[in-house]
């Protein structure tokens, strides 16, 4: 038995199940990060003094990472576009690129964390670092999750392209939506943590 | 539209997709520029309120670009808009939380 | 969406190939069939309800006879918990915290949302299954892991969480290991609920049968739909808070720890600068919507059963639906009525009191509509109906006593006393639990093809109805006398508590008798699977779509896709041949 | 009018208003409950299947229930705007001026109430965590600070003058406690990191209350209302309400005695 509207859209909503599902998921993600941002503001406002991000954190490195993540968003959407144009080869390239860029991001983060830990700057040191580690850490988990999914569509998942291209394209679009959201979160994390 | 393409492989829309791709590139460039801008601005240590407003405005623009074009929100179905509207409302409540806490009473430290 | 898309080649492999026969494991354990998952959820929920009840019966001994060794059982629980059979305060606090947590997150939510939602909702909207069967399975197993974690926490050194189900900081941060397990367990449970919620919403929107517009929904579907949104949007903030408390505990951060804390004479070695109230805000931001998550499915069930057994349409269906949606929306902006005594100023207090009073109105509207629906009916008093009718006054008591709590000047003497305990138990225990029992008796035939025994059912009902009131009515008296909750000795130390002590005894005996009256139910539940009277598709002559499927429904539910031709409750239509015109009959 | 509710005997100035609000809202609740309850019973009997075999498709046609709902809303609005909000405002904003009131600092800790009086000079002495000693000096009060010399600190024993406004400054050392005195109709969480003032006017001395309640052991008790750990159930303080003279006498004596004890070199 097949579930209706996994591939074709339902007439009255004009949407597939997956599309609605991913957006609902993102909605809950918004509330998750929303709560963290709210906590950040609340604690910062309450604090007698608060360090400027760039006095502690490495802005150039983070800027580089921002660029990496944004580029990965573009490759992601290009990957989807190539499927729309029925160019599976280019899809592979772009998708591979997306995954690699994600990897670069994680590697950079790894060194960033390592650096701070060497300097003895732990989450427990002060609330600025506490927030920094918590927010970026959670975001990092999201990046990792997105990478796994994308890698799957790049590799084994791509089999679906042969049997049901439409469905495959949809799934890539949905994992793309998640990936862009992760990028979007970073776009706000970057200034709030590093620049202010 | 854009979202429907997912379910629409007819070649005459390929043209349409090309248009999209061009948009993506422009957005990409814009995002890069804005990134540089925020960093640059933060170099001059403006007073916190100014810095915050600028940073947030830029971030919001970047965010909306990603949401509208990469995530196709610019042309989504009503249903998705409805869900997001609801979310935004409660998100606002969340962000009001600090304000509440420090507005009155003895919650202020 | 182009024709070609609609006519796009159906995937050869759907999520999993149902077509060939599945093995035992895939069919009954790691199943993706919403009915199997629903039953898994329901049974898990019931077992946890029973477990939570057992914890509470232990506590009730200590409350009735503080410091008196508990015969037999007391000895078995070990020196660490009940040396010589007398309960230690740490163990009492464990039991209290875990009773609350288990009842709410592992008992009622899995049964009401996971169980009834999964089993009934797709059938009622005429769907072959949930929109995302795999995610559905994952969400159940997340719940399972969460449950295991919570149970496991009883055996870690220092025992389970002891800081109440509210886990207020800083107490929870400086508490023992059990709290860490609690937090991890909660993160599993939250994930489970989130996955479930997005699945329900998508299913409801996408998989509705042809002709089933939202205003033709059975009230139960509406209730589940709104509930799903509450879960989806209210739970993430608690997840965030949970992560932060976890950080505070394991990584030594100070999100919830202000500077300068001195624990038993020793300054706390942490950075400080956190905010204690932040936790309460984030917790109640979830936990108030959560309490409506506990009640709304119950209301849905009651509405179904009342319509069916009065043999007439619900009165004021539309107003009920609007109230429901409004209720759901409002429930996000009343949370601080749990924090009236934390020192809020006039403006905050005014705001949250007002919203709290406003949110009580839709409940009044819904209750009123349900009561008035009885008028003019031809009322059949079968077991489901008895539980459903009893729900009304019980929820009435619980709800009405919410009002004094909602006016914070009146809340001053009542806050954190047994009055609060009584208030919310009237809504969750004789309220929600009764509604859920009604639902079990009502949909059991659909799930098993057999009806539960009526006589046993009636014994179960009358016994529970009397006992519930014996348990909780005294708590109002105790609370009004000013006795605090969470006292491991029921307030023995306090002079003003003395006059209330005997009421604790009454309440406890009520609770233990209540347990006895659950035995017929438990027996009935298992016995009827094999021995119950067999029934056809539609034993209750009901109108909603789930009754058009065979009982029990096969995989894929319907022989051919159903269609809705009219509203959900077309009973006793003048001029119609029979006294009910099903939604699904042309 | 609120005896039937079984609230503890009332012994504070503002408590009366609270009681009457509680009384009225409970009457309102009873009316609703009895009304609807009666209605339900009647309907269940009148429309049982055996008596009414055929249900009426339309049911109730009148919309009187709407008036009821509006009625409920109105009553709630009145209670809210007429009583709750203004009364709360007087609780948190109309604090008496400190020079006319007795200011006491109460610091909760696991599991005791530390009571701190500023003494005759009405100024609280400096406290310092380094001086803190659980036995002799739980608040770490600095006796060498001139302001601190005449200060009085007690554990779990609070003395108050009758008919005098009292401002209690609530604080906590580690976890959240809740300062509740049922007879005074006061309750307030003690939140670590915050200092929260509450105020009330005791109207009945302990002595008088003993005669009234015909209980020679009667004591006003401070009950901790917020779960704060193992000793939560035992975190009990006492309030002794005395005539102003008695209170003054107590304050002078204790002040001397504690100052002496602190300066005593052999101690
Ligand atoms: C299902 C759960 C549930 C529900 C539905 C409610 C409903 C309400 N609750 Fe309750 N509440 C809890 C669960 C619930 N609550 C829990 C668990 C706590 C304690 C948490 C903790 O501290 O551990 C709590 C605590 C709590 C507090 C905090 C008390 C304190 O800590 O000091 C407050 C304060 O405003 C409150 C208010 C209300 C109000 C105004 C409603 C309103 O929505 C009620 C509206 C309903 C009505 C007004 C009744 C309408 C019916 C009729 C009019 C007809 C009745 C008559 C007949 C049928 C015969 N609740
Ligand atoms: C849904 C929520 C829920 C439910 C249903 C209950 C049900 C009950 N609760 Fe619970 N309780 C809470 C939520 C709940 N409670 C919370 C949140 C707290 C606060 C905790 C804290 O302080 O942090 C609390 C606290 C609390 C206290 C106060 C403890 C204290 O403050 O020190 C007491 C005291 O008597 C109590 C008693 C009871 C009793 C006697 C029941 C009875 O009604 C139990 C009835 C149960 C049943 C009737 C079970 C039926 C199920 C079956 C029989 C299973 C059958 C199985 C199969 C068929 C497989 N509860
Ligand atoms: Cu201090 Cu409870
Ligand atoms: Cu609430």
């Amino acid at each position: 038995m097949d579930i209706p509207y996994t591939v074709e859209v339902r007439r009255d909503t004009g949407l597939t199940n997956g599309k609605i599902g991913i957006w609902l998921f993102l909605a809950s993600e918004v509330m998750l990060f929303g709560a963290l941002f709210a906590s950040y503001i609340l604690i910062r406002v309450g604090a007698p003094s608060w360090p400027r991000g760039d006095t502690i954190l490495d802005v150039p490195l983070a800027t580089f990472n921002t660029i990496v993540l944004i580029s990965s968003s573009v490759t992601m959407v290009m990957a989807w576009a190539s499927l729309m144009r029925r160019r599976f080869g280019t899809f592979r390239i772009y998708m591979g690129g997306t995954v690699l860029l994600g990897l670069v991001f994680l590697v950079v983060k790894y060194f960033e964390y390592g650096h701070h830990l060497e300097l003895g700057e732990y989450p427990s040191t002060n609330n600025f670092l506490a927030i920094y580690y918590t927010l970026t850490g959670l975001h990092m988990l999201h990046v990792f999750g997105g990478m796994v999914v994308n890698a799957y569509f790049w590799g084994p998942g791509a089999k679906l392209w042969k049997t049901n291209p439409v469905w495959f394209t949809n799934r890539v679009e949905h994992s793309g939506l998640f990936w862009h959201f992760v990028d979007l979160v970073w776009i706000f994390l970057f200034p709030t943590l590093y620049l202010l | 539209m854009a979202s429907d393409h997912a379910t629409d492989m007819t070649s005459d829309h390929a043209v349409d997709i090309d248009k999209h791709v061009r948009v993506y590139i422009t957005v990409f460039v814009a995002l890069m520029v804005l990134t540089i801008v925020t960093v640059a601005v933060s170099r001059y240590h403006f007073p916190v309120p100014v810095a915050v407003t600028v940073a947030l405005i830029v971030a919001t623009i970047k965010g909306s670009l990603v949401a509208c074009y990469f995530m196709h929100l610019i042309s989504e179905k009503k249903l998705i808009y409805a869900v997001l509207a609801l979310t935004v409302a409660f998100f606002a409540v969340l962000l009001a939380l600090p304000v509440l806490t420090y507005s009155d009473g003895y919650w202020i430290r | 969406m182009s024709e070609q898309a609609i006519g796009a080649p159906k995937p050869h492999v759907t999520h999993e190939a149902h077509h060939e026969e599945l093995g035992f494991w895939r069919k009954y354990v790691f199943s993706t069939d919403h009915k199997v998952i629903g039953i898994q959820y329901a049974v898990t929920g019931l077992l946890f309800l029973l477990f939570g009840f057992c914890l509470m019966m232990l506590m009730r001994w200590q409350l009735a006879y503080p410091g008196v060794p508990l015969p037999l059982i007391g000895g078995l629980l070990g020196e660490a918990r009940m040396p010589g059979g007398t309960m230690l305060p740490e163990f009492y606090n464990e039991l209290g915290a875990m009773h609350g947590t288990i009842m709410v997150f592992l008992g009622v939510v899995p049964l009401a949302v996971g169980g009834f939602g999964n089993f009934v909702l797709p059938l009622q909207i005429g769907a072959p299954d949930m929109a995302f069967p795999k995610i559905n399975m994952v969400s159940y197993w997340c719940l399972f892991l969460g449950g295991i974690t919570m149970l496991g926490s009883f055996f870690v050194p220092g025992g389970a969480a002891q800081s109440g189900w509210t886990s207020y900081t800083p107490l929870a941060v400086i508490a023992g290991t059990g709290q860490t397990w609690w937090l991890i367990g909660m993160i599993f449970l939250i994930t489970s609920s989130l996955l479930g919620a997005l699945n329900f919403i998508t299913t409801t929107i996408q998989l509705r049968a042809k002709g089933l517009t939202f205003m033709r929904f059975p009230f139960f579907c509406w209730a589940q739909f709104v509930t799903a949104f509450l879960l989806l949007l209210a739970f993430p903030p608690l997840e965030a808070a949970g992560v932060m408390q976890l950080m505070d505990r394991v990584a030594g951060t100070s999100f919830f720890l202000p500077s300068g804390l001195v624990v038993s004479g020793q300054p706390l070695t942490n950075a400080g600068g956190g905010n204690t109230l932040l936790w309460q805000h984030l917790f109640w931001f979830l936990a108030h919507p959560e309490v409506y998550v506990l009640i709304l499915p119950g209301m849905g069930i009651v509405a179904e059963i009342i319509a069916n057994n009065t043999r007439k349409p619900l009165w004021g269906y539309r107003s009920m639906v609007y109230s429901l949606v409004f209720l759901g929306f409002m429930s996000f902006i009343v949370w601080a009525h749990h924090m009236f005594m934390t020192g809020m100023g006039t403006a905050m207090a005014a705001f949250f009191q007002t919203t709290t009073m406003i949110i009580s109105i839709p409940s009044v509207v819904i209750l009123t509509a349900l009561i008035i629906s009885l008028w003019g009916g031809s009322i059949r008093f079968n077991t489901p109906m008895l539980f459903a009718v009893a729900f009304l006054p019980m929820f009435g008591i619980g709800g009405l006593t919410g009002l004094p709590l909602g006016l914070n000047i009146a809340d001053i003497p009542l806050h954190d006393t047994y009055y609060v305990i009584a208030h919310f138990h009237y809504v969750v225990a004789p309220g929600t639990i009764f509604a859920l029992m009604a639902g079990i008796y009502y949909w059991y035939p659909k799930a098993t093809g057999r009806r539960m025994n009526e006589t046993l059912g009636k014994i179960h009902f009358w016994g529970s109805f009397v006992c519930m009131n014996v348990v909780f009515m005294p708590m109002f008296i105790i609370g009004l006398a000013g006795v605090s909750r969470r006292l491991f000795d029921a307030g023995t130390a306090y002079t003003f508590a003395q006059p209330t002590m005997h009421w604790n005894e009454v309440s406890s005996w009520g609770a233990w008798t209540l347990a006895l009256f659950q035995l017929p139910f438990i027996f009935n539940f298992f016995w009827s699977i094999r021995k119950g009277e067999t029934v056809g598709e539609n034993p209750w002559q009901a109108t909603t779509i789930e009754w058009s499927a065979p009982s029990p429904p096969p995989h894929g539910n319907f022989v051919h896709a159903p269609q809705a031709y009219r509203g959900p409750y077309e009973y006793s239509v003048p001029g119609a041949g029979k006294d009910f015109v099903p939604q699904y009959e042309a | 009018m609120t005896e039937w509710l079984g609230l503890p005997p009332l012994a504070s100035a503002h408590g009366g208003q609270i009681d009457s609000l509680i009384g009225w809202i409970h009457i309102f609740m009873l009316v609703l409950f009895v009304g609807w309850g009666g209605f339900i019973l009647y309907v269940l009997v009148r429309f049982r299947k055996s008596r009414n075999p055929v249900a009426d498709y339309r049911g109730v046609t009148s919309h009187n229930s709407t008036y009821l709902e509006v009625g409920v809303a109105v009553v709630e609005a009145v209670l809210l705007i007429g009583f709750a909000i203004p009364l709360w405002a007087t609780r948190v904003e109309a604090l008496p001026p400190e020079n006319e009131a007795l200011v006491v600092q109460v610091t909760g800790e696991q599991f005791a109430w530390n009571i701190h009086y500023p003494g005759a000079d009405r100024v609280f002495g400096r406290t310092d965590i380094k001086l803190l000693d659980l036995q002799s000096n739980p608040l770490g009060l600095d006796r060498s600070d001139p302001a601190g010399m005449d200060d009085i600190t007690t554990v779990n024993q609070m003395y108050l003058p009758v008919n005098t406004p009292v401002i209690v400054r609530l604080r906590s050392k580690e976890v959240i406690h809740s300062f509740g005195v049922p007879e005074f109709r006061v309750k307030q969480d003690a939140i670590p990191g915050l200092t929260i003032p509450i105020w009330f006017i005791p109207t009945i001395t302990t002595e008088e209350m003993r005669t009234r309640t015909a209980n020679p052991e009667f004591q006003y008790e401070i009950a901790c209302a917020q779960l704060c750990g193992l000793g939560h159930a035992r975190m009990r303080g006492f309030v002794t309400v005395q005539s102003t003279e008695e209170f003054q006498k107590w304050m002078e004596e204790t002040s001397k005695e504690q100052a002496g004890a602190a300066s005593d070199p052999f101690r």
Side-chain angles (χ1 to χ4, degrees), chain C residues 528-553:
Chain C
S528 306
I529 295 176
R530 296 239 164 292
K531 297 276 183 301
E533 162 209 355
T534 49
V535 295
E537 289 178 354
N538 192 355
W540 311 110
Q541 291 99 25
T543 51
T544 43
I545 293 175
E546 77 266 33
W547 302 105
S548 72
S551 336

Side-chain angles (χ1 to χ4, degrees), chain D residues 109 111 113 175-178 224-229 231-233 235:
Chain D
E109 85 177 289
F111 299 95
W113 298 103
V175 303
I176 300 176
H177 302 275
S178 192
C224 181
Q226 185 62 266
L227 180 63
C228 53
H232 168 55
M235 186 163 166

